[in-house]
Amino acid sequence: MLSDEETQREDQLQQWLRQDQGRMQILAIVAALNLPQCYIGAGFVRNLVWDRLLGDSVTTPLNDVDVIYFDPTEETQETAWQIEDWLNQHHPHCVWQVRNQALMHTRHDDPPYQSTLDAIGYWVEQETAVAVRLENDTLAIISGFGLASLFAGHLTHNPRRPRAVFEARIAEKQWLTRWPMLQVIPLRSESDLSFQ
């Protein structure tokens, strides 16, 4: 069960998503795919929160749209790539990336993921491990680490990934240039790692 503070953060995120017509259209496109445990994650959610809390009045353009789903019956990413190609052809206003998270553990030599939520708990930054989907008229949000650090404007290394990868992504993505108020928060110990 979510705390009152976490419920308030989810409510605020849902409100911001609903105010963003472009994101709502993208969520509707993805919902129509009817993929199992299907969400849009990463910058789609993270950047929206940082823009609202730390940015100016300009919405940061999406580099891509990360569509994630979980189907253990698929043996290769071929279906995901076919869906990605279809989306890029029929909805070319976005750059789409589609990945079946049931297969992504092999890329990083992780134990097999059990769900989409489990998979995002392995992403490099805790604040990136947030995803949303449209179910009928409801927005469903999942997060590997909760929303508190995202709303606090933090960038936190996930100890399941090499620190060097975390640092390289900060430099490559230029998050601190776009949102200079962000604070890089290293974990003090493994006990700081908590999954939702």
Side-chain angles (χ1 to χ4, degrees), residues 7 25 48 71 73 81 89 91 126 131 137 171 175 179 187:
T7 298
Q25 289 172 345
L48 175 64
D71 188 347
T73 67
W81 293 331
Q89 289 174 17
H91 302 283
Q126 292 186 14
D137 193 40
W175 292 319
W179 299 282
L187 288 175

Side-chain angles (χ1 to χ4, degrees), residues 115-126:
S115 64
T116 298
L117 177 58
D118 184 36
I120 68 174
Y122 285 80
W123 288 3
V124 178
E125 312 85 29
Q126 292 186 14

Side-chain angles (χ1 to χ4, degrees), residues 2 6 117-123 125-126 129 143-147 157-161 187 190-196:
L2 296 178
E6 191 72 353
L117 177 58
D118 184 36
I120 68 174
Y122 285 80
W123 288 3
E125 312 85 29
Q126 292 186 14
S143 55
F145 303 90
L147 299 175
H157 169 235
N158 182 348
R160 288 177 158 168
R161 292 290 172 248
L187 288 175
E190 290 292 324
S191 64
D192 292 340
L193 178 64
S194 62
F195 296 93
Q196 300 297 308

Side-chain angles (χ1 to χ4, degrees), residues 67-69 77 80-81 84 97-101 104 107:
V67 178
I68 54 176
Y69 68 100
Q77 289 286 355
W81 293 331
E84 180 177 292
Q97 291 193 355
V98 181
R99 298 293 180 269
N100 181 357
Q101 298 300 297
M104 293 300 289
R107 182 175 177 185

Side-chain angles (χ1 to χ4, degrees), residues 96-176:
W96 301 88
Q97 291 193 355
V98 181
R99 298 293 180 269
N100 181 357
Q101 298 300 297
L103 303 171
M104 293 300 289
H105 66 283
T106 60
R107 182 175 177 185
H108 302 289
D109 294 323
D110 294 332
Y113 304 144
Q114 302 303 305
S115 64
T116 298
L117 177 58
D118 184 36
I120 68 174
Y122 285 80
W123 288 3
V124 178
E125 312 85 29
Q126 292 186 14
E127 295 74 24
T128 299
V130 180
V132 62
R133 71 178 173 190
L134 185 63
E135 298 174 347
N136 300 316
D137 193 40
T138 302
L139 291 170
I141 296 167
I142 58 172
S143 55
F145 303 90
L147 299 175
S149 65
L150 176 62
F151 272 70
H154 293 168
L155 253 175
T156 311
H157 169 235
N158 182 348
R160 288 177 158 168
R161 292 290 172 248
R163 177 76 186 186
V165 173
F166 172 70
E167 292 172 355
R169 279 176 55 83
I170 291 174
E172 172 194 343
K173 302 287 188 178
Q174 299 186 346
W175 292 319
L176 298 175

